[in-house]
Amino acid sequence: MCGIIGYVGPRECRDLLMEGLRRLEYRGYDSAGLSVVRKGSVGSVHAVGNLEQLRNAVAQTNGHLSGSTGIGHTRWATHGRVTEENAHPHWDTSGRVHIVLNGIVENWTELRDRLVANGAEFTSETDAEVVAHLISEYFDGDLVEAVRLAYNDLRGHYAFVAMSADAPSVLVGARKECPLVVGIGEGESFIASAIPAFLSETRRVQLVHDGEIVAVTPDGSRFIAPDGSALERAVDEVDWDEEEAEKGGYETFMLKEIHEQADAVAETLAGRLGEDGVELEDIGISDEFLKDVRRVIIVACGTSYHAGLVGRYAIEWWARRPVEMDIASEFRYRNPVLSERDLVIGISQSGETADTLAAMRLARERGAKVLAITNIMGSQATRDADGVLFTRAGLEIGVAATKTFVAQVAAMYLFALKLAELHGTLEPEVRRGLVEDLRSMPHLIAQLVDEIEEPTRRIARHWKDSEFFLYLGRHIGLPICLEGALKLKEVSYIPTDAYAAGEMKHGPIALLDENTPVVCVATDSPVLDKMLSNIAEVRARGAHVIAVASEGSGRVAEHAEQVVEVPAIDWLLQPLFAVIPLQLLAYEIACARGLNVDQPRNLAKTVTVE
Ligand code: F6R
């Protein structure tokens, strides 16, 4: 994720942009930059590091970076290393068109080749720079039209804002699946990734929807569709206070982050899905090694461990490679037997968890190759590994992991598909189908969260006083149960247990009575029939079943009392949906009990001690 902000109006914009970036810093903070139109040209300043570095760089311009139309950006690197050249804004060859972009342009290499052939000179390694050159190529005095034409050439998922020295009182934004909002002030306007960026200046906002272009001037805004037709957009009044603003209008960070899951998955997949396979060239582990890999061993803690479990099923099913899974704190002390043909994957959102780091170091000492899957650039895990696969969920503030979990699962799917491709274990059309399903996931996740929020709240209110919850699942349903049970105990302090449903009769069945809610993950899978039998066994003991099922699967509804349905795409991908009702259930129960979900007792976001 990156944060973008723009201002157009009568005021000196530098400090307004800096303040906007400060509010957006949670979206990325590896580098930042500003561009401002001044006396017929555009000045720009970039800095590597957090906003303090940009503040110092701006101070060194001795006031030269001044003007009243400008754009700013805070970056979370995707394409291109963290350098001043790769920081945004980017510009065209003449330096007159500047842009800031959040997201990924998937067809950037082909566009760049075409633009270079036409004489464009690139100054960065980013995908975003093509947008500036493309707009410049189309610019014929009308920046809005140039952005519209450029937008129609772009593929990917992004939001950007463009500005030109030749059209000094307009900013033009475009949105495709990444957030963008307009702020309407008195004789001045803002455009940003999120409302808090300008909330101290105006509370009047207009939402930019998917596939829309907006021209912003000091007098207001004009919305158009990609075909050039005009669109109407109402102005909404936002009544958030400071604290709510930081949470983007949500009551808690956890809820905000649950809603950000579509974005987290989209960003993690962006640029990594090709026509019929995955593109993971930059993970630092060679294809030769992966083709010859003897065994994959996944180590992690807590929620990251559950993401790894989903990955294990996907790797085994698709790539037919043996996978071992262990909790990092166990692995490191069990004197594991490793070889040079083993790949150890350490999954850690923070990249700083002491046990996971120790397990990764041990694996390396014993000759295995180590791949880190982490959300944090520059974290210790990135230094203790031979290769890194980044999740791109953005900063997660709620202590209970939500959006970082779905991003980790998405990363595991990418890796499993890559391995399957290298080992030739999936028919091309099956692979193509999985890639298409993955591509559709962000959109489906966004819809799902909205659709199930209210029904899940009702279920939560019904069960909020229960003293114990049992979670049952099989195969890919099991890690989702483990994760759902962890979420509930973390934020509500209610004792929970999660079991492989087949194990129920070997013990946990003794816990069931007519007061016990049993959460069953019963999405489509080759073992659904077995799961249905387990649900029937639960009901026969008088306990109550809350089931998560695939859409249209009436069979589950016949057995369970309360059912939350999730989209029915390839069954192995359904964990990415199935976890969402369980996160919401935990969240709503904790809220109904009046608890602080963002900072549950005794927990810490990063566990740097063993
Ligand atoms: C649960 C949670 C923890 C972490 C665990 C590992 O909501 O957040 O269980 O998943 O502490 O943390 P990372 O992924 O940073 O290594």
Side-chain angles (χ1 to χ4, degrees):
M1 295 217 289
C2 300
I4 60 189
I5 170 85
Y7 172 84
V8 57
R11 288 196 273 169
E12 180 59 60
C13 68
R14 200 182 45 213
D15 294 344
L16 291 168
L17 296 177
M18 284 303 295
E19 178 56 16
L21 290 181
R22 189 180 72 76
R23 302 268 177 178
L24 295 172
E25 206 175 4
Y26 71 92
R27 298 180 64 86
Y29 40 79
D30 58 43
S31 51
L34 297 182
S35 287
V36 175
V37 178
R38 182 173 189 244
K39 295 187 185 149
S41 68
V42 186
S44 197
V45 174
H46 291 180
V48 168
N50 60 21
L51 281 184
E52 206 39 50
Q53 313 307 318
L54 181 63
R55 203 163 280 118
N56 294 338
V58 169
Q60 279 164 24
T61 63
N62 297 324
H64 284 298
L65 192 78
S66 83
S68 63
T69 302
I71 51 180
H73 187 270
T74 175
R75 180 169 187 242
W76 179 281
T78 54
H79 286 65
R81 291 159 301 143
V82 179
T83 63
E84 260 184 48
E85 291 73 27
N86 289 339
H88 298 216
H90 292 294
W91 47 82
D92 69 320
T93 312
S94 71
R96 300 187 71 72
V97 174
H98 283 224
I99 65 102
V100 281
L101 181 139
N102 167 33
I104 297 212
V105 178
E106 284 175 0
N107 57 336
W108 70 287
T109 46
E110 81 199 46
L111 288 170
R112 189 193 52 196
D113 293 349
R114 188 184 98 195
L115 291 157
V116 167
N118 291 343
E121 285 166 24
F122 279 70
T123 54
S124 77
E125 303 161 329
T126 65
D127 54 333
E129 192 182 341
V130 294
V131 179
H133 292 278
L134 202 56
I135 294 170
S136 167
E137 196 176 71
Y138 284 123
F139 186 70
D140 192 12
D142 182 349
L143 186 63
V144 184
E145 182 59 5
V147 167
R148 188 184 75 79
L149 294 170
Y151 178 88
N152 285 322
D153 282 356
L154 299 170
R155 273 207 326 269
H157 104 114
Y158 48 76
F160 67 82
V161 177
M163 173 179 90
S164 168
D166 300 303
S169 8
V170 62
L171 299 176
V172 187
R175 171 181 172 172
K176 189 148 182 226
E177 289 168 17
C178 286
L180 197 63
V181 285
V182 172
I184 305 289
E186 294 297 328
E188 62 184 7
S189 301
F190 299 80
I191 184 163
S193 300
I195 296 169
F198 52 68
L199 197 64
S200 53
E201 304 301 325
T202 180
R203 292 179 167 266
R204 300 176 64 228
V205 305
Q206 289 177 304
L207 302 180
V208 184
H209 298 166
D210 241 12
E212 290 183 351
I213 294 157
V214 61
V216 179
T217 65
D219 305 323
S221 66
R222 177 162 70 86
F223 282 70
I224 59 166
D227 64 3
S229 56
L231 298 167
E232 288 295 318
R233 188 55 32 82
V235 176
D236 300 317
E237 193 85 31
V238 173
D239 59 359
W240 305 341
D241 61 24
E242 273 288 300
E243 205 189 318
E244 279 174 310
E246 231 192 304
K247 294 173 186 150
Y250 292 100
E251 271 165 38
T252 61
F253 283 110
M254 184 173 171
L255 188 60
K256 171 172 176 275
E257 286 154 6
I258 288 174
H259 277 266
E260 283 173 350
Q261 297 191 102
D263 252 8
V265 172
E267 296 268 359
T268 301
L269 298 177
R272 292 166 169 172
L273 294 178
E275 287 299 305
D276 57 1
V278 298
E279 289 165 11
L280 281 185
E281 273 72 45
D282 55 351
I283 61 170
I285 306 283
S286 72
D287 287 0
E288 287 62 45
F289 176 83
L290 292 177
K291 272 185 198 154
D292 195 39
V293 71
R294 185 177 73 107
R295 184 171 57 148
V296 177
I297 299 153
I298 305 172
V299 291
C301 303
T303 289
S304 298
Y305 174 78
H306 301 150
L309 281 172
V310 179
R312 175 177 78 180
Y313 289 112
I315 294 171
E316 282 183 352
W317 205 274
W318 295 335
R320 308 299 302 137
R321 299 316 300 158
V323 187
E324 216 185 273
M325 181 78 225
D326 209 352
I327 291 164
S329 54
E330 287 297 313
F331 178 85
R332 63 182 291 197
Y333 291 118
R334 74 170 221 232
N335 197 8
V337 182
L338 294 163
S339 83
E340 281 167 10
R341 284 178 55 210
D342 288 330
L343 175 70
V344 172
I345 303 181
I347 309 179
S348 174
Q349 180 286 124
S350 61
E352 303 291 348
T353 299
D355 283 318
T356 309
L357 294 176
M360 288 163 62
R361 281 188 211 119
L362 175 73
R364 250 176 142 191
E365 275 161 30
R366 301 205 170 171
K369 275 258 184 294
V370 174
L371 174 71
I373 295 189
T374 181
N375 199 39
I376 305 293
M377 286 209 135
S379 59
Q380 191 59 39
T382 65
R383 283 171 255 153
D384 287 345
D386 299 289
V388 185
L389 172 52
F390 283 106
T391 51
R392 303 174 186 140
L395 193 64
E396 187 172 69
I397 294 172
V399 166
T402 51
K403 65 175 179 172
T404 53
F405 173 75
V406 290
Q408 288 168 340
V409 172
M412 287 310 299
Y413 285 143
L414 288 171
F415 180 77
L417 278 178
K418 160 123 187 152
L419 213 54
E421 211 170 307
L422 292 172
H423 288 267
T425 44
L426 281 179
E427 293 299 322
E429 59 275 22
V430 175
R431 221 171 51 214
R432 218 168 290 133
L434 286 166
V435 167
E436 277 322 301
D437 278 350
L438 275 177
R439 225 189 281 285
S440 69
M441 296 212 69
H443 178 66
L444 293 171
I445 291 174
Q447 272 181 346
L448 178 69
V449 178
D450 288 343
E451 278 168 21
I452 65 173
E453 206 174 346
E454 192 43 49
T456 312
R457 185 172 301 137
R458 282 199 297 273
I459 298 175
R461 295 216 168 121
H462 183 85
W463 294 110
K464 73 178 172 48
D465 296 321
S466 302
E467 285 168 9
F468 168 71
F469 280 73
L470 180 65
Y471 287 69
L472 296 177
R474 282 173 179 260
H475 201 265
I476 37 126
L478 177 58
I480 298 310
C481 286
L482 290 164
E483 178 56 11
L486 176 66
K487 285 292 89 94
L488 184 60
K489 65 167 75 91
E490 274 182 306
V491 297
S492 73
Y493 317 139
I494 298 174
T496 64
D497 213 341
Y499 254 87
E503 276 288 286
M504 182 178 65
K505 9 187 168 356
H506 301 286
I509 200 163
L511 294 168
L512 301 182
D513 64 24
E514 56 289 348
N515 295 319
T516 321
V518 182
V519 180
C520 296
V521 174
T523 50
D524 286 344
S525 85
V527 288
L528 179 59
D529 283 338
K530 312 267 173 224
M531 193 61 219
L532 292 175
S533 308
N534 296 129
I535 291 178
E537 286 157 12
V538 168
R539 295 298 305 281
R541 268 76 194 171
H544 305 276
V545 172
I546 305 163
V548 179
S550 308
E551 227 157 45
S553 170
R555 290 198 301 154
V556 179
E558 277 167 29
H559 293 75
E561 288 149 289
Q562 288 160 316
V563 181
V564 183
E565 290 196 337
V566 298
I569 59 168
D570 186 278
W571 67 275
L572 252 168
L573 299 176
Q574 290 186 33
L576 268 185
F577 300 135
V579 72
I580 295 171
L582 303 197
Q583 294 167 339
L584 282 167
L585 185 70
Y587 174 80
E588 294 291 349
I589 289 177
C591 289
R593 289 181 159 222
L595 298 167
N596 177 351
V597 292
D598 284 336
Q599 287 168 333
R601 71 181 179 211
N602 304 338
L603 293 175
K605 187 71 189 158
T606 307
V607 184
T608 52
V609 290
E610 57 168 305

